[in-house]
Amino acid sequence: MRGMLLAVGCALVVALGGCAGSGGGAKSAGNPAKAGFIKGADDVCTMHLRTMMSWLGQPQTGPNWRQQAVQDEGVFEIMNRSIHNLEALGTPPGPGGPAFTGYMKTLKARAALFRLTSVAFQHRDTTSALGFEQRVKEIDAQGDRYAHRYGLHVCGTGLPDVAKAFKAAGFTQK
């Protein structure tokens, strides 16, 4: 069960992103405002990752549909808080600002889908819930591209780089 929870956690890490993108340093070199913004965003994403893993590590009780609904609602709340913290950073400086804006749009869409998934599970509508989950996966890839295009290091990665996400967030394998 713990291994399955970790696998689910890894998948949900992607909901916001999670690890080192390629080439971010070069994209902000010579632009201290952009470098500072990227560091701030990466700090938010690192905190998001830690909060998400803590949430997913909590035991759930009750019927499976209820567990899923509670878990997805919690993911929505965590994402909503992270989105608020990213928005509090202000307007993204330097070249590529529209890419960060696109990333934020995908985060909001993903958060909304987690809320819808939670409601679907509450109503025991597994078909809709699974459809929403599939849509999250589709939006993830687009958000990852936006995040990498802007030059984020921690935000916006796919499953192949999850191990780097844990390393970037200070998690070590035991």
Side-chain angles (χ1 to χ4, degrees), residues 93-124:
F100 185 82
T101 301
Y103 175 64
M104 292 300 296
K105 287 179 182 178
T106 66
L107 288 180
K108 291 174 184 178
R110 289 180 261 183
L113 285 166
F114 274 104
R115 169 60 64 85
L116 291 171
T117 303
S118 175
V119 171
F121 276 121
Q122 288 173 17
H123 291 279
R124 299 181 196 152

Side-chain angles (χ1 to χ4, degrees), residues 26-170:
K27 294 178 184 177
S28 62
N31 189 334
K34 184 171 181 178
F37 186 90
I38 288 171
K39 181 184 179 333
D42 285 343
D43 288 347
V44 170
C45 290
T46 298
M47 182 55 70
H48 170 86
L49 175 61
R50 288 181 177 150
T51 304
M52 188 72 73
M53 293 310 295
S54 176
W55 169 247
L56 294 173
Q58 294 178 10
Q60 300 289 325
T61 59
N64 195 33
W65 65 266
R66 173 95 170 106
Q67 290 179 33
Q68 254 332 119
V70 168
Q71 182 175 327
D72 288 340
E73 184 64 24
V75 169
F76 165 77
E77 294 295 333
I78 293 166
M79 288 188 72
N80 203 35
R81 204 169 23 252
S82 297
I83 289 166
H84 173 75
N85 291 339
L86 286 167
E87 288 178 331
L89 295 173
T91 304
F100 185 82
T101 301
Y103 175 64
M104 292 300 296
K105 287 179 182 178
T106 66
L107 288 180
K108 291 174 184 178
R110 289 180 261 183
L113 285 166
F114 274 104
R115 169 60 64 85
L116 291 171
T117 303
S118 175
V119 171
F121 276 121
Q122 288 173 17
H123 291 279
R124 299 181 196 152
D125 181 359
T126 306
T127 302
S128 293
L130 294 175
F132 295 139
E133 288 176 351
Q134 181 59 40
R135 186 68 181 123
V136 167
K137 292 175 189 174
E138 293 166 4
I139 295 171
D140 280 343
Q142 183 179 13
D144 295 348
R145 285 190 301 273
Y146 282 130
H148 290 254
R149 195 174 304 142
Y150 185 70
L152 298 174
H153 300 272
V154 178
C155 306
T157 194
L159 283 175
D161 293 325
V162 169
K164 293 178 188 175
F166 285 105
K167 184 177 178 182

